[in-house]
Structure formats: C-alpha cells, structure tokens
Amino acid sequence: VGALVLIAVVAVGIVTARGSGAAEPIVATSGERVSLSGTDPITGKQVSLADYAGKPVVINIWGSWCPGCAAEAEDLRRFAADHPEAQLIGVDLRDSKGSARAFYEEYRWTHPSISDPDGEISFSLGLQGTPSTFFLDAQHRIRTRIVGETDYAGFEQGLEAALSAS
C-alpha cells in the first residue's frame, strides 16, 4: 500500500510539473562532491567523471522512454555544442542498448553517457524525476539542478549558477 501511495504522489507531481512549462534551476547549496563512472551504452567504453578533473560537468539523467527527455533532447544537444567549457555526461536510466542507440541517432547526440540499468547511479544523485540535470563546478560539487524537462535557456541558467558558485 505504501508503495502505491508513493507511486501516486510521484505521478501527480510529474503531471503537475509538466503543465508548467520549462523547469527552472533549483539552487543546491550542499556542494556535495560527485564521483561516478560506468560503461557508455553507445560505445561500450568506460566513462568516468574523474576524466574531466578541473572542468565543470553537466550530468543529464535521461531515458529513451521518457517524454520529457525527448522534448529537451535537441536543446541539450545545442547546449553541449555551444558550451565546450563544460562537459556533458548523460546517465541512461533503465534503458536497453538498442533504444539508447536509437535515441542518440535521432537527436544526433555525441556526448558520453553511462548506463544505469538499475537506477543506482541516478538515485545516488538524489533523482526526483526524469529528466534531471545536475550542474557541477570544476571540483565536481553539485551547485544546482533542474528536475523535469527544461530548454536551452534553462541549461544555460544552470551552468551559469554552477560557474558563479565556484
């Protein structure tokens, strides 16, 4: 019964949030340092946050099954191309390799992702809904996040907040 109540609350929250337009960055002041690594579902290569030491990182939790992820995919691609000063890393939540590959091809993504088949990585970051985007400073501390789909301006605001917090 408790699980059903939790599912209902999350579902209502998602429906409510989706009707309000692009999500805005939520400033997180905890400064929690992040460390993550795993296998890229597209290339099969190892991806590690440590490979980007000293560089701000944007972590986007996504899934090919997620309507909000598809809605923001083009803006995320443009944002990554326009901001080489930050590294974008995806976390592919509960997806198949084939579906992830098709999503990458459809939206012409080129950034690395880490496969997260059981949600362990996503939930360790404090996932509250998909998509979610975390903006890390150069020391890889969470400085701000966006819960829900956003747009190009939202990604830029999140990065600006992370860079100004450094």
Side-chain angles (χ1 to χ4, degrees):
V1 174
L4 291 176
V5 170
L6 178 61
I7 290 169
V9 168
V10 170
V12 168
I14 290 170
V15 169
T16 302
R18 293 192 72 200
S20 61
E24 297 290 324
I26 301 167
V27 176
T29 57
S30 69
E32 177 185 344
R33 191 175 304 272
V34 174
S35 174
L36 55 89
S37 63
T39 305
D40 189 306
I42 310 306
T43 66
K45 296 179 181 177
Q46 279 296 114
V47 177
S48 175
L49 189 57
D51 292 341
Y52 305 102
K55 187 172 188 175
V57 175
V58 177
I59 298 173
N60 178 260
I61 300 175
W62 66 281
S64 64
W65 46 265
C66 164
C69 301
E72 72 178 17
E74 177 61 27
D75 282 341
L76 186 60
R77 184 194 61 75
R78 286 189 316 110
F79 168 79
D82 291 348
H83 292 281
E85 72 277 17
Q87 176 62 48
L88 174 61
I89 298 175
V91 175
D92 182 20
L93 177 63
R94 296 184 174 157
D95 220 341
S96 72
K97 287 182 183 180
S99 295
R101 184 178 308 282
F103 195 87
Y104 257 72
E105 289 172 3
E106 180 177 352
Y107 294 105
R108 302 180 325 270
W109 280 4
T110 58
H111 61 272
S113 271
I114 297 172
S115 181
D116 189 17
D118 59 5
E120 184 177 330
I121 295 169
S122 300
F123 293 114
S124 75
L125 291 169
L127 180 68
Q128 296 175 340
T130 53
S132 281
T133 308
F134 297 81
F135 298 86
L136 283 55
D137 64 16
Q139 290 74 44
H140 298 166
R141 296 175 296 208
I142 297 173
R143 292 305 184 179
T144 191
R145 70 182 72 206
I146 299 173
V147 178
E149 109 189 34
T150 194
D151 57 14
Y152 188 89
F155 292 125
E156 285 198 320
Q157 289 172 4
L159 180 59
E160 182 180 315
L163 294 175
S164 66
S166 295

